[in-house]
Amino acid sequence: MVLIAVAMVGYIVLLKWPKASIKNQSSALYISASDLYLDYTNDETKAASLYYDKVITVEGSIMEHYVDENGAPVVILGIESPSVLATLEPSEATKVESLKSGSSIRIKGLCTGMLMEVTLNKGVIIN
């Protein structure tokens, strides 16, 4: 019974523990949103070995930005179709409000692979 209580408290603490910020981490590399997307669409296995679970800086044109259902700011980069979806840290919300579609931006984030587009998490705006 005591073990169950300790396990539950530990689980709750982990859920509430602040997630590590990448703000002060250096990027493993710099790449354009279109090149990153092309790398994943041409050879996803090779691209994953290069980018997955690494902090990278991506530059591209803003297609869209919004706040998702969890309250996190999101920026989608691409020209004719989405190529990178970057979910940003909550501290970036005020910066996102002033973004304009079509303008260029650099975002540092943790690459988490590709679903419909390449995804970055824990992103911060570098401009």
Side-chain angles (χ1 to χ4, degrees):
M1 188 70 146
V2 172
L3 286 175
I4 293 173
V6 169
M8 288 178 65
V9 168
Y11 180 73
I12 291 169
V13 167
L14 284 175
L15 286 178
K16 298 294 182 183
W17 199 268
K19 310 293 187 272
S21 173
I22 63 152
K23 211 173 257 194
N24 296 322
Q25 293 183 28
S26 59
S27 290
L29 58 95
Y30 296 79
I31 190 167
S32 72
S34 57
D35 285 347
L36 181 61
Y37 182 77
L38 284 173
D39 284 354
Y40 266 96
T41 55
N42 289 334
D43 188 343
E44 189 168 352
T45 303
K46 182 179 177 185
S49 72
L50 294 171
Y51 310 118
Y52 182 77
D53 207 27
K54 292 187 174 93
V55 175
I56 62 174
T57 297
V58 178
E59 183 169 359
S61 295
I62 300 168
M63 283 190 76
E64 183 180 352
H65 60 85
Y66 58 91
V67 175
D68 71 11
E69 64 278 356
N70 297 317
V74 175
V75 177
I76 298 176
L77 304 177
I79 296 182
E80 292 179 10
S81 62
S83 55
V84 174
L85 184 144
T87 303
L88 307 181
E89 292 185 356
S91 61
E92 300 293 294
T94 56
K95 292 179 186 176
V96 170
E97 292 172 2
S98 64
L99 297 178
K100 294 185 180 7
S101 294
S103 60
S104 184
I105 191 170
R106 286 184 296 150
I107 298 174
K108 179 170 62 170
L110 181 68
C111 183
T112 56
M114 182 173 181
L115 298 172
M116 298 295 287
E117 55 276 312
V118 181
T119 57
L120 296 180
N121 285 309
K122 301 180 184 179
V124 292
I125 296 171
I126 301 298
N127 285 357

